Every structure is written in structure tokens, then in C-alpha cells.
């Protein structure tokens, strides 16, 4: 169970001889200077350092749980050869700061969204970050916000709850289509299934497109076949991205910058 951030704790940890960064005659002075600096900066109540006869570095510190965790991370990044915090010493729910973990983190924040530029009669799909879903039209270079998810349109998958028939075709999330097996049974597209048409040969079928927008086959062509069915709104930059990063600067910034 994780300790409350303000709880007073005492923690010991070790750095084995083979992982030590400093081996020169002045290593002890450097280590003591680093310990003193971290103790002062991060309000550690007490920090003890010893080098054992077998060359292992031993640290014992007392302070608030959050401050102790940060101090351990900084000591390990500054005193180990690979300058990386040991996984076993990471706080609960926190991953090591590695390139692969950063890439995995980015992938988890990315989603595919649809954009539509009305003046250029152009629509496209793009993978964007959830916190900033913005894309630029390749023709007029205007930045746009994505189309609302419940209004996305394209090629989607349908599964009839009545007979189990599965079929694909033009779709929009809030518009039902007819099941050609049941007749007059309306089916909504499966959530997350709508996207751009994939390259390759199209599946031949005798079934005629029938959805609510064309009054279930009464209007030809279907009004939903327009290229820009739902237009994106132009994106107005607020500068929030820059200010967010600026307000997140901490003492840790210099430590991580030095370690890279």
C-alpha cells in the first residue's frame, strides 16, 4: 500500500559496486556533495551515507514520503553508471524514465480523429494527441478541430442484433442502416468501427445502400455520400500548451537535463 505523500518515513537503499558511477580517489567527496545538495533542495530531515567494505554504497534517509522518493530517484540517476532509477525503487504506479516508456506513453495518448475542411471540400483522418486534437488542411493550411466523435462518418461495420448478420458500408454513428437479411430492421454502426476506406478491391454485393439519410433507399445518391458531410471548426490557438510546460518547471528539470 502506498504511503501518503506527507507521511514521515525512513528509507534505506543500496547501490552495488558494479553500478557505481564514481571510482576515482575523490569519489567520496563528490558523493557527499551530491547528498548535501539533494538534502537541502528537497527538505530531507536526515540523510546518512556510507561506503561498505565490499564497495557498496549505503544510504539511509528520513523525511516526507514524497521527498524521500524524489531524493532516491535523483541519487540513483546521479550516482549510477547508466544514470537510471532502479525499477524496484520506483514509487507505486510509476515507470522508469526511458525512451521506450516515453514512446509507449505517447501511443497511449494518441487517437485517430476525423477532420473536414468545407472550403476545400476535403476530409481526412489523422492520429493526434488526445490533449491537442488539431490538424492542418494540406490545401489551405488552416488548422482545424476534429469532427465530434458521434458525427464521424466513413466506412463502418454493422452487426444486426436480431439475426447476427454482419456487413460493412457507408456509416455515420448517429444514423442507422437497414439489415438486408431482416428487412426493415435498423442497425447502428459498431462503436469504434468507422474509418476511412481501406485500399484494395471492393467487395461485390447485390445489396443496395439503405440508411436513414437517404430515407432507406428512396433518395439516390445518398446525401451522406458528400465528401464533407460534417465540417470541422477552425482551431483558435490559446497558447495553453506552452504555458502548461512553463508552469511545470521544477528543480527536477535540471537534474533530468543533466542526465541526458
Amino acid at each position: 500500500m502506498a504511503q501518503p505523500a506527507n507521511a514521515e518515513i525512513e528509507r534505506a537503499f543500496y547501490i552495488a559496486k558494479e553500478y557505481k558511477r564514481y571510482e576515482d580517489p575523490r569519489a567520496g567527496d563528490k558523493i557527499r556533495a551530491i547528498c548535501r545538495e539533494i538534502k537541502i533542495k528537497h527538505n530531507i530531515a536526515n540523510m546518512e551515507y556510507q561506503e561498505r567494505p565490499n564497495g557498496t554504497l549505503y544510504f539511509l534517509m528520513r523525511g516526507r514520503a514524497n521527498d524521500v522518493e524524489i531524493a532516491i530517484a535523483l541519487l540513483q540517476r546521479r550516482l549510477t553508471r547508466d544514470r537510471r532509477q532502479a525499477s524496484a525503487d520506483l514509487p507505486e504506479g510509476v515507470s522508469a524514465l526511458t525512451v521506450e516508456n516515453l514512446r509507449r506513453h505517447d501511443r497511449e495518448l494518441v487517437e485517430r480523429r476525423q477532420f473536414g475542411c468545407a472550403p476545400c471540400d476535403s476530409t481526412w483522418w489523422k492520429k493526434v494527441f488526445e490533449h491537442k486534437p488539431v490538424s492542418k488542411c494540406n490545401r489551405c493550411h488552416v488548422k482545424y478541430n476534429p469532427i465530434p466523435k458521434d458525427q464521424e462518418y466513413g466506412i463502418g461495420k454493422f452487426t444486426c442484433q436480431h439475426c447476427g448478420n454482419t456487413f460493412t458500408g457507408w456509416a455515420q454513428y448517429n444514423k442507422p442502416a437497414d439489415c438486408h437479411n431482416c428487412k426493415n430492421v435498423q442497425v447502428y454502426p459498431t462503436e469504434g468501427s468507422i474509418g476511412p476506406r481501406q485500399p484494395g478491391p471492393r467487395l461485390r454485393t447485390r445489396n443496395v445502400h439503405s440508411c436513414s439519410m437517404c430515407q432507406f433507399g428512396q433518395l439516390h445518391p445518398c446525401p451522406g455520400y458528400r465528401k464533407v458531410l460534417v465540417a470541422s471548426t477552425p482551431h483558435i490557438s490559446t497558447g495553453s500548451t506552452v504555458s502548461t510546460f512553463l508552469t511545470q518547471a521544477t528543480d527536477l528539470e535540471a537534474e533530468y537535463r543533466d542526465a541526458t
Side-chain angles (χ1 to χ4, degrees), residues 114-119 122-124 144-147 153 228 230-233:
Q114 186 179 25
F115 299 83
C117 176
S122 175
T123 183
W124 67 95
Y144 285 104
N145 297 315
I147 294 170
Y153 59 96
V228 180
V230 180
S232 294
T233 58

Side-chain angles (χ1 to χ4, degrees), residues 132-174:
K132 190 176 181 181
V134 178
S135 183
K136 183 187 296 184
C137 175
N138 288 333
R139 298 180 183 177
C140 64
H141 305 294
V142 173
K143 291 183 178 180
Y144 285 104
N145 297 315
I147 294 170
K149 290 184 178 181
D150 62 346
Q151 297 181 37
E152 289 180 344
Y153 59 96
I155 303 301
K157 179 180 179 181
F158 300 81
T159 300
C160 179
Q161 301 298 320
H162 187 263
C163 69
N165 177 40
T166 299
F167 58 97
T168 59
W170 183 93
Q172 188 178 21
Y173 280 124
N174 56 1

Side-chain angles (χ1 to χ4, degrees), residues 183-251:
K183 306 298 183 185
N184 298 323
V185 173
Q186 298 177 3
V187 185
Y188 284 90
T190 304
E191 184 177 355
S193 68
I194 294 181
R197 184 181 298 278
Q198 299 300 315
R202 298 176 60 179
L203 180 66
R204 295 287 182 179
T205 178
R206 294 183 179 179
N207 296 326
V208 178
H209 171 76
S210 176
C211 76
S212 60
M213 290 196 69
C214 61
Q215 299 179 17
F216 300 103
Q218 299 302 311
L219 299 178
H220 299 281
C222 176
Y225 284 168
R226 295 199 304 270
K227 199 165 188 179
V228 180
L229 182 60
V230 180
S232 294
T233 58
H235 174 72
I236 300 175
S237 179
T238 61
S240 59
T241 305
V242 175
S243 61
T244 300
F245 281 106
L246 289 177
T247 54
Q248 289 176 345
T250 65
D251 290 340

